[in-house]
Structure formats: C-alpha cells, structure tokens
C-alpha cells in the first residue's frame, strides 16, 4: 500500500493553517551549556507551546484541515499523553467535540488535564486491544474523525512547523536534534531541514530503555518498541512505516542516552535555563552533553519537545 | 543628610552601560492566568536574566560605572543571596576581583554558586554586627569598592532597566507590580514608570511574614523588618531611607500575600507557564490572583524577579 508522505508544501500550508492558534515559541541560549558542550546551542522551546508541547501543532494542523461537515462530528484519539490534551484543546478551539479513549490506569492528573480542555473521556481496559476496540466503537457511534498521534501526514506536517520557525529565527545551523518516540516530530523536522536548511544534518535521541528507533535505523528494518523502560514517558511508542520511511531517507543518526543522563540534563535546564521541561524533552541535550568531542565547534538547534511533568516526582 | 535619588537620565545611562552584558529578557503571556484573574497579564521574565535574577542588572550597572583605578581594586558586598552571585559575575565580566562576606550558616549551594562565579568568600559569624565588621575589614585590607544590594543609586538605576524594557516591549499598561524587599527593584520600576509610562500605576507585593514595606508606606514612617518569617527568602530585608523616599513618592500601594498564596502561584507558573521561578518572584502574581475584583479588565505588567530555587525543596 502506498504511504502518503508530506512535502515542504504541506508543511508550509500547515504553518499557515495553525499560525493563528499556536505560539511562535522563543529560542533560548545558555552560556553554561555552550561551555559544557563546546558547541553553540539554540533551543526551540516547545515546552512553552500551548498545552505545553509541540503536539499542539500537529493536532491543530489536523483539526483545522477538516471540512465543516466532518469537523462537526468531532475528533477522537486513544492516548493518555500530550496528544490527548493537544487534540482536546484544538477541538475546543474549533468548537467541536473531542473523544479521548484512555486506559483506566492513566493517572488522575492526565485525565483531569484532558477533561479540563473539555474533551469527553471514554475509559477502557489498559490493553492495546481494548484501546483499539473502544476507539473503533466511539468512531462508529459518533462519526468522529480519528486523529493518530503521529502516523498522519497532517500531524507530521504540523510538527514540522517548529523546525520551520527554528530555521527562520536561528540562522544557519550545522545540525538539529529532536527526541524520537513515534517519529512525528523527527520526520516533520527532517522534511523541514531538507528544504529549508539543506546543509543542516538531522539527528534524534531516545532513551536506552526505548531504543527501537535507533535499532530500526541501524538495521534498516522497523523494530517495534517492546516493554520500554524509561522515565521518558513521551517516547515509549514505536515508529510507523510512514515515519520510518521519512527517517530512513533524511536522518543522519539516532543516539541513545541513559535515564541518568536525562536526569542530569533535566537538572541543568531547571537550574541554568529556569525552564520546566519533561524528561522526554531533554534527551537531545543529554546526547550532546555526553558527546562533547563530536559536537564541539558546531552550531546546533535543540528542540525541547514539552514541559508536562508531574512536579511531585522526586527526580532531584 | 541629602539622599541621592536617580532620575530617568540615570536609568537610561545605566541601560546603555549594561546593555552589552545583560539579557533583554522576554515577555511572556498565559491565557490560563488571564482567565483566572480576569486581567491581561504581561510577565517580564527576569528569572531568565543572567545569574537567574534582575540583581545582575544593578550589579553590572555599579561595576561598569567604576573608573579603572577603582575597579582594579575589586568590589565587595555582604550577602548570601542573588546580589552576591550577581556582583561576582559582574566583577568577573569586568576582569576584577569580588569579595563576598557570607555567614557560616549560609547553605552550601549558595556558597558554591558564588565561588563558581570566581568570587572570594570571606566567612563570618551569622550576626549583622559580624557581617558589617568583616566587610569593613575586607574593604580596609583590599581597597575594594562596596556595592550595596539596593541602597545605591547606580544599583537602583540598573534595576529600573527591566521596567524600561517592559514599557518599550509591552505597549500601554494600566499597572505594573513587582516584589519588594529592600526596594531596589520597586524604586527603579517607579522611576521608569513616572517618565516612560505616566498613566501606569505602580504596585508592589510582599509576604505577610515580612510586611515592613506595606506598613512603612501605610504609616508614612520607615518600619524595619524584624524577625521576618516567610518562604520568600529574597524579601527579608528592610527598605532604606533612599528606596522609601522613592516609594512614598511614586508607588500607589503595597499588598501582602500569604505563603500559601505564594505556593499556589508558584505551582501555576511551573505547571502553566513552564517557568522556574523562586517564591519571592511570584508575590505579585499571588496578589493579583487573590484580588480578582480589583484587577479584572486591566492590562498589568508583572515582574518575575528571579528563578534561583533549591529544587529539592518540597513545595509541591
């Protein structure tokens, strides 16, 4: 079956579509981190995006692309993470219903966040099968339009708009690095780079305990994520055939980092940059901090993907 | 004795003097907080300033105003807070020594921060008398120039530059609110407002457990801070005659907030704005959140004064 891959025109169209609804997030620099890595780092702060994550770009891109009749029936997804919050707010902003299938095991703080954006939560058993069956039933009952967290060209195009802004605002970069979970942010970034920053290499980072993307890229075969074990709760999912195809074509390398390195990077960002970020957001910085010899002298864009974190977690 | 009060020319000169060395910190907005207060809030993020606090403006203003011969002998202060870090980095940036008198009771994290900026730490007993005597001895021994944390026209002019930027970048404001401890930030802000935003009222907030500024303004007599008790460790000091004179002339009101209200405001800033701020920084926001009826419909500038916080503290 043919796979639809978004092009640069799709990213530019998505950017026009979402511009009235999303923050153009700031770039931030930090002398301490430049000194520690020997590189010149430019951070794109998607933790300061609405709902606290880049996911709001992709969700808004999808929701705003629907025709009125489709939109009126609402949108649906199965997620307990940032995509659920993002889709809920994107739907509310368009004035349409959102249905979120969420396992009964999801923490109350996540349920509350989604409910706070006005979505209807449909509980299900905490298995993949129950989740998919429940979603299918919701879609059949309501006529809602399913928006996948990453395996969707409109979502990928939306996520790529963060890199469009980075390249416009930062000037020339030798490389850009993002986290990789399902690959929506990474593949959108790669498409943006190929067309808007041709000399800029694209890298990703992921936790050692969820290294399916690194193994997939290294082996040339899509390896699913099985029993991931990491504090980076936004990076547990597997690539799709679509995101893997884009990543194989355009991504130079995927590096893995330990959870200890993630905690150290988190602490530096809180203490030195005064920014709240979630563990998943700093895998790229953790990768740079542990590979000083490879990055010294380079000018590197680093995407902080989100800042939705349980403040009572004892990381420090 | 006559008191020297800086004017708008001094603020503009300070701004020119410090511009190469300080961050022009960003303004940030937050729909959730606008909804909660009914106001339109514009936050000036001095937590993102170098050394994590507006204090770097005043310290740099003072250090960069010294003639070469005076500067060469170094600068000195007694402080265990943000001013000590700020003066240390300002001195290092100019390539001169800094001497910081610090009580032996100061936490290691604060000593390490000052030492990390290259200052020499001179320990003293944790009493005001020991602190002043030790400072006098250091100044006599080294010829270093004493830079007070707030009772200094060059420092006040430097702190006022944050408000100059706020008024330039935010457009018209009905009011501005800052924390008040010794009054350096507040009096600098007031001078900036009088000349650069004549329609804008100036307010301050302070903790109930250190409400000397509110009582001083209400009673018209300078009341010293005695046995302050609050988590806002940057707001324990008393006004000086100089800052009190400026505040009496130009500040409309000083409101007090409970430590509980401070913790609630802290949590909102971390969760909703994804910014690391220190307790002292959010007294202004806490004041607005608890006075919705008074602030609804207004456009208000809020200065986040700093972000230097011990991440292991169990506030949440």
């Amino acid at each position: 079956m043919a796979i639809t891959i978004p092009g640069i025109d799709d990213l530019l169209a998505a950017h026009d579509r979402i511009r009235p609804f999303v923050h153009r997030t700031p770039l931030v620099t930090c002398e301490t981190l430049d000194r520690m890595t020997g590189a010149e780092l430019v951070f794109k702060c998607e933790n300061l995006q609405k709902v606290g994550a880049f996911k709001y770009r992709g969700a808004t891109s999808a929701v705003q692309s629907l025709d009125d009749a489709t939109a009126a029936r609402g949108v649906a997804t199965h997620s307990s993470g940032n995509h659920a919050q993002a889709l809920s707010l994107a739907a509310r902003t368009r004035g349409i219903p959102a249905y979120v299938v969420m396992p009964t095991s999801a923490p109350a703080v996540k349920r509350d966040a989604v409910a706070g954006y006005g979505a209807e939560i449909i509980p299900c058993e905490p298995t993949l099968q129950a989740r998919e069956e429940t979603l299918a039933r919701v879609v059949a009952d309501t006529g809602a339009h399913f928006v996948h967290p990453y395996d969707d060209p409109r979502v990928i195009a939306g996520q790529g708009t963060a890199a469009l802004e980075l390249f416009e605002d930062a000037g020339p970069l030798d490389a850009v690095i993002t986290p990789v979970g399902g690959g929506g942010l990474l593949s959108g970034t790669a498409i943006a780079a190929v067309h808007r920053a041709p000399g800029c290499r694209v890298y990703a980072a992921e936790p050692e305990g969820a290294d399916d993307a690194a193994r997939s890229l290294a082996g040339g075969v899509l390896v699913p994520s099985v029993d991931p074990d990491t504090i980076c709760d936004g990076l547990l999912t597997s690539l799709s055939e679509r995101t893997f195809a884009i990543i194989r074509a355009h991504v130079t390398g995927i590096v893995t980092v330990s959870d200890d390195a993630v905690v150290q990077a988190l602490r530096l960002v809180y203490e030195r940059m005064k920014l709240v970020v979630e563990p998943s957001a700093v895998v790229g910085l953790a990768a740079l901090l542990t590979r000083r010899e490879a990055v010294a002298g380079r000018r590197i864009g680093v995407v902080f993907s989100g800042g939705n974190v349980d403040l009572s977690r004892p990381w420090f």
Side-chain angles (χ1 to χ4, degrees), chain A residues 25 27 63 92 95 137-138 141 180 189 204-205 228 271:
Chain A
T25 53
L27 304 183
V63 165
R92 188 175 78 181
R137 186 166 44 74
V138 167
D141 288 353
V180 58
T189 300
E271 288 188 347

Side-chain angles (χ1 to χ4, degrees), chain A residues 216-217 219-222 243-251:
Chain A
S216 299
L217 186 61
V221 179
L222 181 51
T243 56
F244 184 47
I246 301 168
I247 289 166
R248 284 188 78 179
H250 301 306
V251 172

Side-chain angles (χ1 to χ4, degrees), chain A residues 29-81:
Chain A
T29 60
C30 178
E31 287 177 21
T32 301
L33 293 174
D34 283 358
R35 204 158 45 232
M36 292 179 73
T37 57
E40 186 183 347
L41 307 181
V42 182
F43 297 92
K44 176 68 170 169
C45 294
E46 287 296 298
N47 58 318
L48 304 179
Q49 187 52 266
K50 291 189 185 177
V51 311
F54 74 92
K55 296 271 184 181
Y56 188 59
R57 295 178 182 267
T60 300
S61 170
V63 165
Q64 293 294 337
S65 72
L66 300 176
D67 63 65
D68 286 346
T70 305
R73 293 191 295 272
V75 288
T77 198
H78 54 62
S79 162
S80 53

Side-chain angles (χ1 to χ4, degrees), chain A residues 174-263:
Chain A
D174 298 310
V176 61
I177 188 163
T178 78
V180 58
L185 176 63
L186 176 57
S187 48
T189 300
I191 295 162
V194 168
H195 297 274
R196 281 297 187 268
C200 175
R201 293 194 171 185
V202 181
Y203 293 89
E206 67 180 350
E208 288 172 0
D211 66 346
D212 53 295
R215 287 188 289 125
S216 299
L217 186 61
V221 179
L222 181 51
V223 180
S225 178
V226 179
D227 290 333
D229 178 18
T230 170
I231 61 169
C232 301
D233 59 357
L235 305 179
L236 305 179
T237 46
S238 307
L239 302 179
S240 68
E241 291 291 348
R242 190 187 328 262
T243 56
F244 184 47
I246 301 168
I247 289 166
R248 284 188 78 179
H250 301 306
V251 172
T252 299
I254 300 179
V255 296
T256 59
V257 294
S258 70
D259 276 8
D260 282 351
V262 168
V263 169

